[in-house]
Amino acid sequence: GCVSTRTWTGTRHTSRSAMADVVTLVSHGHVRVLQLDVDGKDQNRITPTWMMRVHACLDVVEGDDDATCLVTVANSTYFSTGLDLKMLLHSADVALDLVRSFHALLARLLAFPKLTVAAVRGHAVAGGAMVALAHDYTLVAHDATLCFREIEIGISFTSGMLALVACKVTDRRGLLRDLLLTAMRCSGALAVERGICDELHVPDVHGDVVAHAMELVERAGLRTYLPSVLQAIKEEMYQDALHKLRSCDVGRAWKVGRMAKL
């Protein structure tokens, strides 16, 4: 059905799913908050189990006609440090399966039929940065870090990963070059200044990060929308990245090199 974005200011009712401690879903009115290890006991390394739990939460949000927006938030230390390196180094088959599953998750987030916001309060590294960029909007804390460390640890990008980053980052003043070829570290302030993220989150100014995320989307001006139409628009906007992510082709150049460190 048609959903409205104007009803976020009602009573904040919270209900927690029982899927897993590391990935939980919380309701704030018409907003669904995907919480990734909010206690900081894990670096949100991306594994098949982690992705399965995220997909389960996305299933709930996608099927919830009352949900207008998804906000993804993690603890203040780590948003996500990316794909689990131990799994990438285990064997070629395990690595390929992990990367293909990751492609599927990125594609689902990129074309998700609800508005999405990533709230990055900690480090978003490599695949973790890609998860953040796959959202419609990205908030970032001043002391957060966003970077792609693949060149440093000896792992190349797949064609789908490159297409995702390229469709979200405007290549001004060699930004893509610096991000991907030199593993440039971006603080929250620099990420906003260079156009990688949308807004800087300052707790003393904006208060709760979820409230800031909701305010950002409301400020964007969308009043009501059909999820199916929103998804169709995203499919057209990001068709190249989505095609490459869904093709299961990791690209001829993709490999895990000998430099990869645990």
Side-chain angles (χ1 to χ4, degrees):
C2 190
V3 297
S4 171
T5 63
R6 298 295 293 173
T7 51
W8 287 333
T9 55
T11 303
R12 291 161 68 96
H13 171 71
T14 301
S15 61
R16 187 177 294 271
S17 73
M19 291 180 216
D21 291 338
V22 71
V23 178
T24 57
L25 193 64
V26 175
S27 295
H28 291 266
H30 289 261
V31 176
R32 303 298 173 260
V33 182
L34 179 61
Q35 296 186 329
L36 309 176
D37 185 39
V38 292
D39 296 326
K41 297 177 181 178
D42 187 77
Q43 296 182 7
N44 285 311
R45 293 185 183 92
I46 298 168
T47 65
T49 300
W50 187 91
M51 288 188 281
M52 177 187 69
R53 289 166 175 166
V54 171
H55 275 299
C57 290
L58 295 179
D59 288 342
V60 173
V61 178
E62 189 167 347
D64 185 352
D65 290 338
D66 200 39
T68 63
C69 180
L70 172 73
V71 176
T72 302
V73 63
N75 63 76
S76 60
T77 304
Y78 298 103
F79 182 80
S80 172
T81 55
L83 295 171
D84 190 310
L85 282 176
K86 290 183 179 179
M87 296 194 69
L88 284 175
L89 294 173
H90 184 273
S91 70
D93 288 342
V94 170
L96 285 172
D97 285 345
L98 180 64
V99 169
R100 285 168 175 156
S101 296
F102 184 52
H103 275 194
L105 178 61
L106 291 176
R108 186 175 189 187
L109 285 171
L110 193 60
F112 199 66
K114 305 291 175 78
L115 292 171
T116 60
V117 183
V120 180
R121 298 188 293 175
H123 303 305
V125 181
M130 295 176 201
V131 169
L133 291 180
H135 290 69
D136 299 322
Y137 299 92
T138 308
L139 293 178
V140 61
H142 186 276
D143 54 354
T145 301
L146 186 146
C147 66
F148 299 93
R149 295 191 58 225
E150 282 78 356
I151 188 66
E152 293 182 331
I153 59 178
I155 299 175
S156 56
F157 297 94
T158 67
S159 56
M161 293 173 185
L162 288 173
L164 169 68
V165 177
C167 78
K168 288 289 188 166
V169 176
T170 301
D171 192 20
R172 295 178 296 182
R173 294 177 289 164
L175 181 57
L176 276 176
R177 174 201 62 207
D178 293 342
L179 283 173
L180 302 179
L181 300 185
T182 71
M184 179 179 74
R185 267 81 167 161
C186 288
S187 65
L190 182 60
V192 173
E193 178 188 337
R194 299 294 297 271
I196 302 167
C197 298
D198 294 287
E199 288 192 10
L200 194 65
H201 175 71
V202 181
D204 291 343
V205 175
H206 301 109
D208 179 68
V209 70
V210 174
H212 186 187
M214 293 188 290
E215 189 266 337
L216 183 157
V217 175
E218 186 166 3
R219 246 191 299 119
L222 185 63
R223 299 295 181 259
T224 60
Y225 68 90
L226 286 167
S228 59
V229 173
L230 182 71
Q231 186 171 45
I233 294 171
K234 292 182 184 182
E235 291 277 352
E236 289 299 317
M237 286 176 64
Y238 307 126
Q239 58 180 304
D240 180 60
L242 288 168
H243 171 73
K244 289 176 179 176
L245 288 168
R246 291 167 174 164
S247 69
C248 295
D249 179 13
V250 299
R252 291 173 295 175
W254 184 79
K255 65 179 179 179
V256 178
R258 294 179 182 178
M259 289 174 58
K261 304 170 186 175
L262 301 180

